[in-house]
Amino acid sequence: MDPRERVAQLMPQAHSELAELVAIKSVADPRQFPPEECQRAAQWVRDRYAQTGFTDARLEETPDGSMVVLGTRPCAGPQAPTVLLYAHYDVQPPLDDKAWRTPPFELTEVDGRWYGRGAADCKGNIVMHLAALRALGENIPVNLKLVVEGSEEQGTGGLEAFVASHPDLFRADAILVCDTGNAAVGSPAATVSLRGMVNVVVTVEALTSEIHSGMFGGPAPDALAALVTILGSLRDAHGNTTVTGLENSRRWAGAAYDPEQFRRDAGVLDGVSLLGDGSVSDMLWSRPALTILGIDCPPVVGSAAAIVPGRRRG
């Protein structure tokens, strides 16, 4: 049977399985969701892959307490290479229902696309691997290893520490990490490298306590204003990232990403300009990007007419 026909036949099953997996509230943060939800997701993954040739599929606990699903599926070729399939079953916290157009833990179809927490990153990739394995059947000419972790979104390092103490389990000739994207539906893409990532927490302190802005405003240093100035200096007037040591003028030599398509994909509002003096492809794939993830400061509601001193010491 033609592979396209086989995949088309498997799509109803893929949809059903994705709906089951999305419904599991596997946020790896016990302060927000019960740990049993992650355990359920791990068991779901183990059971499905055990049915697709990973007969030794099992759960192992990592140092941060999360469970990783491991398994192997050897082929008949004695010299065949080994490919490791990676994914994660944990998801980001969904904020609240008001932040969603559709229920976060219910797979919902809108205009031909499936929405739900983790539907793309990364439960959709778990189901994609399953569908691909079923479509290919027994004739896969490589050895396969499986790694599906449970704390990627929280960044607590469980898998990293587990890899360090069990390197042989992860040895492979190639690794497939399939939660990247392609420029357009129907245009396959292979991502061979990614920009590195650094998380930085900046703390500004200026005063011992809040002081009245009418009495002291002007000469008194303002920690929040200083933080705004610091963050504002990280981009130039065109929106280019301007961090010393980071090259921000490289050009992308591959396929272009149409700006109008990017605006639609990113949900950019009418009248809002894109950042940078390069093309969308330059900015997205060849240059450094900087994102301000959050600011701890007094909320507008309930704020006082006071100069913000910065972080308070206990």
Side-chain angles (χ1 to χ4, degrees), residues 237-299:
H238 299 288
N240 299 298
T241 299
T242 54
V243 176
T244 301
L246 295 183
E247 170 58 51
N248 67 354
S249 62
R250 290 192 176 99
R251 298 289 179 182
W252 174 252
Y257 197 152
D258 178 70
E260 291 306 312
Q261 181 64 49
F262 178 82
R263 294 180 69 90
R264 290 192 293 270
D265 293 344
V268 180
L269 298 176
D270 291 341
V272 177
S273 299
L274 300 182
L275 296 180
D277 57 13
S279 69
V280 169
S281 300
D282 294 336
M283 302 302 295
L284 193 60
W285 296 320
S286 289
R287 301 184 183 183
L290 186 143
T291 301
I292 299 169
L293 300 179
I295 299 177
D296 292 330
C297 60

Side-chain angles (χ1 to χ4, degrees), residues 116-137:
R117 175 54 93 211
D121 182 12
C122 183
K123 292 178 176 180
N125 304 288
I126 294 172
V127 173
M128 177 276 297
H129 283 318
L130 289 169
L133 290 166
R134 290 166 182 150
L136 294 170

Side-chain angles (χ1 to χ4, degrees), residues 136-180:
L136 294 170
E138 299 298 322
N139 300 318
I140 300 179
V142 297
N143 300 306
L144 294 174
K145 288 186 176 181
L146 176 70
V147 176
V148 184
E149 66 163 307
S151 62
E152 192 272 349
E153 296 290 5
Q154 292 299 317
T156 49
L159 183 66
E160 288 89 336
F162 189 85
V163 170
S165 58
H166 302 80
D168 290 342
L169 295 177
F170 301 89
R171 214 161 258 128
D173 298 288
I175 300 175
L176 292 181
V177 181
C178 297
D179 60 356
T180 52

